Amino acid sequence: LKRGVSVSTMLHAGGRILRVRADSLTISEQEKLYNLSKPVREHHRFLSHCWNSSGWRKAIALVLDHLGLPAFLAAIAVALTVHIAQNYVLFPKASLFVVHATYFHTDLQISFWEVGLGEGAALCFVFFGHYLFRGTYYFLDCASIHQTNRELKLAGIANIP
């Protein structure tokens, strides 16, 4: 009985599953936690944590671990697209600041559109990108091991990675 929780589920509602202590929940709520996990062949990662530490910090660390690089790349792609559109498709330019690049012997203009839309793309990825990781499963003790049914609990403990 090997069960895992998807990254999408763990980051849903601001990482609620990481912010709530399982032992503080009612029995019916603990059973709902178990229903958040699914049978898996393998765990992609094992999440080892301390339930006494801040749940928000755990959720933010998980967001940065999974979504930090893709959000950064999305920001760069959008900013470059806007830059090219402004400079080569004759969209209006609105310079935020100008930097003189001595290596290229030219002035580089950065517009607030590049910055704003690039950051907007990164934030969209940070807040909604977890839906792209539905197939990545973690072992998370409170959901991967049943908290109230003794037989399921022992079977879950026996399958800890």
Side-chain angles (χ1 to χ4, degrees):
L1 186 65
K2 188 182 276 192
R3 295 181 68 91
V5 182
S6 73
V7 171
S8 177
T9 300
M10 288 200 308
L11 292 176
H12 179 73
R16 184 178 187 281
I17 193 172
L18 297 170
R19 293 184 286 114
V20 177
R21 289 180 56 112
D23 60 357
S24 68
L25 300 174
T26 65
I27 291 175
S28 65
E29 289 173 328
Q30 288 178 359
E31 290 174 357
K32 287 179 185 175
L33 267 181
Y34 184 73
N35 292 334
L36 293 175
S37 67
K38 296 180 180 177
V40 296
R41 278 193 235 151
E42 67 175 343
H43 296 104
H44 296 97
R45 295 189 180 172
F46 181 89
L47 186 62
S48 179
H49 63 98
C50 172
W51 283 107
N52 290 328
S53 64
S54 166
W56 283 109
R57 287 182 182 173
K58 289 182 270 194
I60 290 169
L62 192 62
V63 164
L64 292 175
D65 180 47
H66 273 283
L67 304 175
L69 181 60
F72 176 71
L73 294 175
I76 289 174
V78 168
L80 283 175
T81 301
V82 170
H83 179 78
I84 290 168
Q86 284 183 324
N87 287 299
Y88 300 106
V89 186
L90 302 176
F91 281 2
K93 294 179 185 176
S95 293
L96 184 62
F97 57 87
V98 178
V99 176
H100 181 71
T102 55
Y103 182 77
F104 295 113
H105 304 291
T106 188
D107 289 336
L108 300 175
Q109 295 183 1
I110 307 297
S111 76
F112 61 86
W113 292 111
E114 293 163 316
V115 174
L117 293 175
E119 286 186 19
L123 288 175
C124 284
F125 213 99
V126 164
F127 287 115
F128 303 109
H130 63 278
Y131 293 113
L132 300 174
F133 289 94
R134 293 181 192 269
T136 303
Y137 286 89
Y138 274 78
F139 174 84
L140 180 65
D141 57 359
C142 68
S144 298
I145 297 174
H146 204 286
Q147 300 296 307
T148 58
N149 182 314
R150 182 166 171 75
E151 289 178 23
L152 289 175
K153 188 176 206 172
L154 292 174
I157 291 171
N159 284 296
I160 291 177

